[in-house]
Amino acid sequence: QVTIDRTPPTVTLLEPDGGTYATNLVPLKAEASDNFGIVEVRFDVETDGDVLAISAAPWETTFDASGLENGFHSVSVMVTDHVGMTAADSGSFCLSDCEDKVCGDDGCGGKCGLCTSYESCSGGECIADADDCPGTDDWECDAICAANGTFDADCFKADAECVDFESQAILEAWF
């Protein structure tokens, strides 16, 4: 008795699932099946034809994305069965751009971090806004002092936060 395989394999890309990755190691995972068995599962991640091939389950590996720019990228997976029939699926992922940023856009539709209610984000840094400091006129924001990280006669607190200058004597006593 001869059995003819006319049923193509199936494949579903499980990871990446369209998410954002802050690391260059991106998980690749697929679910593949065929009525007579799988020969190979191939992952392609925008690598100009450089494909990661797996010939045995589980159909998963990790891709080193350090050669890719930050931003959105596509990935495809193709499965081949014993008679050469194929099936494919595709998805995407995003490498975030938060290196050296405290706040701002991560390049993937999210944020690198948030500033306090009396700060605004500028160039990836939280900058104190003197007009929004809480309290009375005794409060003042000293972003210059924050930039140089010093405590002296002109700088009372070194982290770009609102400073109560009535507490100056206590701060100077500590340093």
Side-chain angles (χ1 to χ4, degrees), residues 13-49:
L13 183 65
L14 301 174
E15 289 186 61
D17 59 2
T20 299
Y21 295 89
T23 175
N24 285 327
L25 298 177
V26 177
L28 303 175
K29 184 176 182 179
E31 185 176 84
S33 64
D34 184 71
N35 57 337
F36 287 101
I38 303 294
V39 172
E40 183 178 65
V41 171
R42 299 167 60 95
F43 293 97
D44 186 6
V45 185
E46 293 182 15
T47 57
D48 299 325

Side-chain angles (χ1 to χ4, degrees), residues 5-168:
D5 183 2
R6 292 191 173 114
T7 305
T10 62
V11 65
T12 303
L13 183 65
L14 301 174
E15 289 186 61
D17 59 2
T20 299
Y21 295 89
T23 175
N24 285 327
L25 298 177
V26 177
L28 303 175
K29 184 176 182 179
E31 185 176 84
S33 64
D34 184 71
N35 57 337
F36 287 101
I38 303 294
V39 172
E40 183 178 65
V41 171
R42 299 167 60 95
F43 293 97
D44 186 6
V45 185
E46 293 182 15
T47 57
D48 299 325
D50 188 16
V51 176
L52 300 168
I54 303 171
S55 58
W59 313 111
E60 57 187 89
T61 188
T62 302
F63 174 72
D64 180 359
S66 59
L68 297 177
E69 296 290 324
N70 292 328
F72 287 94
H73 299 280
S74 62
V75 58
S76 61
V77 61
M78 185 188 322
V79 60
T80 305
D81 71 6
H82 286 284
V83 295
M85 287 191 278
T86 62
D89 195 14
S90 63
S92 66
F93 64 95
C94 190
L95 296 175
S96 67
D97 182 16
C98 287
E99 188 172 341
D100 299 323
K101 288 184 180 179
V102 175
C103 58
D105 182 18
D106 70 355
C108 298
K111 300 278 185 211
C112 294
L114 300 174
C115 299
T116 64
S117 61
Y118 54 85
E119 295 172 315
S120 59
C121 185
S122 177
E125 297 292 323
C126 292
I127 305 299
D129 183 356
D131 295 334
D132 292 332
C133 285
T136 66
D137 291 336
D138 292 330
W139 289 87
E140 186 175 316
C141 292
D142 198 340
I144 295 170
C145 296
N148 65 27
T150 61
F151 284 86
D152 59 29
D154 297 319
C155 295
F156 303 111
K157 192 168 181 182
D159 61 1
E161 292 182 5
C162 296
V163 178
D164 180 355
F165 284 94
E166 290 179 359
S167 302
Q168 173 185 357

